[in-house]
Amino acid sequence: MLAIQKRLAAPFYALLSLPSTAMGFALSVQISALSWILSTKYGLAIHEIGLVWAAGPIAGIFGQVIVGLISDNVWFWGGRRRPFILIGGALAALMLLALPNIGVISKAMGTDALLGVAITIALTLDLAINISFNPTRSIIADVTPAGDARTKGYTWMQTISGTFGVAAYAIGAIWGNYTLIYFGAILVLLISVIPPFFIEEPRTLQAEADTTEEPQQKASFSQIVVAISPLWGYLLYAFIGIVARLLDQAVSSLLQGICVGLTIGSILLIFLLKKPAFGSKYAHLIDFQKILAAHSFTWLGIQTMFVYMFAYVQQKIVGLSDDQMGQVVSISFLIFNAVAAVLPAILLQPLTSKIGRVKTHLLCIAIMALGYASIFLFGQSVSSIYVLMGVVGIGWAATVSLPFAIMSQTIDQSRMGMFMGLFNLSVVLPQLVASLGVGEAISAAEDKGLIFIICALSLATSAFLWLFIKERKAKDEIPTLVSGGGH
């Protein structure tokens, strides 16, 4: 073990933050460049780009849940989390290199199925990110004692990862997305593969005190299904939407209505019933379920912006070339992420100590909803878009820092990997709906302002649901600020 790890010195916290930073940087490159390159270089339509983006959340459904379960209970290559970080980092770097060479790869394979190759690369990239994201967060808890030391570990991770994320968008805005992609591939490989060899993981993990009031049962399929009940409608639509897209069919209004009804029904059961909807056996999951419901609508709106903002800029800002459009989107996301990198430490953390994490998060999400509505109403120029992206960045600052801290106090700490994977479903399933259902609506709409109407309504719904979530204190304080970004 390195001396800096024994002392928990500042250089060790920086080293510990790098694997998570690598995955965050890969995700930033994907967000900045994927839609742009598919639209401008390969000429894919909006709904086809949505289908490519849908591949990532599919990977997230399986990647984070399965890896979370496995990494809690395995040991090889000298670690519990290390193997998944190494594999995911190497794969992510290779897939970033593949992004600007989709056409070359398609020809080399002797096929003109450009869309299929793009989906395969996007799927592999997102699978790689999801393989690593859960372990990069879990390893911080593994090697730091509970309390201030662990809090410091997660705040360092957020600061370093957020700073690199801002740098990614700056590179794309100044030197272009191709430079960003190739630089990103090298950086991701280096800071995901090298640091794990200098971090010594404990061979045996000590179970932390349960933060819930009732004893937890062993993980079971029924418990997992009940835990994600607020996401059943998303899950059903994702399945129907993928099948329909493969068969080149539209999802009928009846099936869409069933999915919406299932989502609304499950949320009403959880938020309105005084007794547990699924029986006392699952009473300990209620707080977790409420957070899943609220967080899912946050991501439905945010993912809609990530995937389709280029279409809004193309339509609303007249006279931009493809490269200029890409720069406007990159600078917009740079501002968006710069706010998220700065606010958690200087504003959100002090505010949470005064009014609590839940109220702080609710306030930020409400501001984000107003920001999206303002983009729809007033975002008719490059400067107005930049200013308003700074406003919605307030909500992003909370999204990448507070929900995990809130969620972590409602579950069994000894099964953090599993619950972190389930929590990620409130991110990836809404991403699928945004990529499939929302993409069809936006593609058909003459006015691409619909993008930010959907964003505003989704964030307003999320803020409303957060009104019904109570602050919960743990027996041993869990880190206040941690990064939840990405899939």
Side-chain angles (χ1 to χ4, degrees), residues 92-264:
L94 286 173
M95 290 307 104
L96 288 178
L97 287 176
L99 278 181
N101 298 294
I102 292 174
V104 175
I105 294 170
S106 179
K107 290 181 180 179
M109 295 176 64
T111 176
D112 293 326
L114 193 67
L115 181 60
V117 174
I119 289 174
T120 301
I121 291 172
L123 178 63
T124 307
L125 174 60
D126 221 80
L127 180 59
I129 293 172
N130 279 283
I131 284 173
S132 291
F133 244 138
N134 195 324
T136 62
R137 293 192 293 252
S138 298
I139 196 173
I140 296 174
D142 292 348
V143 301
T144 57
D148 292 341
R150 190 169 300 168
T151 301
K152 188 175 180 180
Y154 282 113
T155 53
W156 270 75
M157 182 184 75
Q158 170 59 23
T159 300
I160 294 176
S161 180
T163 301
F164 272 84
V166 171
Y169 295 112
I171 292 170
I174 297 171
W175 291 290
N177 281 328
Y178 287 112
T179 301
L180 172 62
I181 290 169
Y182 289 115
F183 175 80
I186 297 170
L187 181 70
V188 168
L189 183 64
L190 292 177
I191 66 176
S192 62
V193 171
I194 296 175
F197 288 103
F198 296 93
I199 302 168
E200 185 174 330
E201 300 181 50
R203 185 64 184 260
T204 304
L205 291 177
Q206 294 182 352
E208 297 182 21
D210 192 355
T211 60
T212 59
E213 297 175 0
E214 298 189 25
Q216 302 258 1
Q217 297 86 19
K218 290 183 178 180
S220 65
F221 180 73
S222 62
Q223 186 187 45
I224 290 173
V225 171
V226 170
I228 64 169
S229 59
L231 307 178
W232 286 351
Y234 291 98
L235 184 61
L236 178 61
Y237 186 87
F239 174 77
I240 293 172
I242 291 169
V243 173
R245 189 62 63 87
L246 292 175
L247 297 176
D248 198 23
Q249 299 291 323
V251 179
S252 69
S253 298
L254 175 61
L255 290 176
Q256 291 179 9
I258 290 173
C259 294
V260 171
L262 183 59
T263 300
I264 295 173

Side-chain angles (χ1 to χ4, degrees), residues 34-55 115 118-119 245 303-316 325 431-451 454:
L34 182 58
S35 293
W36 174 82
I37 202 169
L38 293 177
S39 173
T40 60
K41 184 173 181 178
Y42 300 113
L44 295 188
I46 292 176
H47 68 280
E48 291 176 321
I49 293 172
L51 182 59
V52 174
W53 273 93
L115 181 60
I119 289 174
R245 189 62 63 87
Q303 184 71 2
T304 297
M305 176 197 68
F306 279 155
V307 179
Y308 305 112
M309 185 174 177
F310 79 95
Y312 180 87
V313 173
Q314 273 183 329
Q315 184 181 78
K316 300 297 182 180
M325 181 269 290
Q431 286 178 340
L432 268 175
V433 173
S435 297
L436 296 170
V438 174
E440 291 289 349
I442 292 172
S443 183
E446 292 186 9
D447 185 358
K448 303 310 177 187
L450 177 64
I451 294 166
I454 293 171

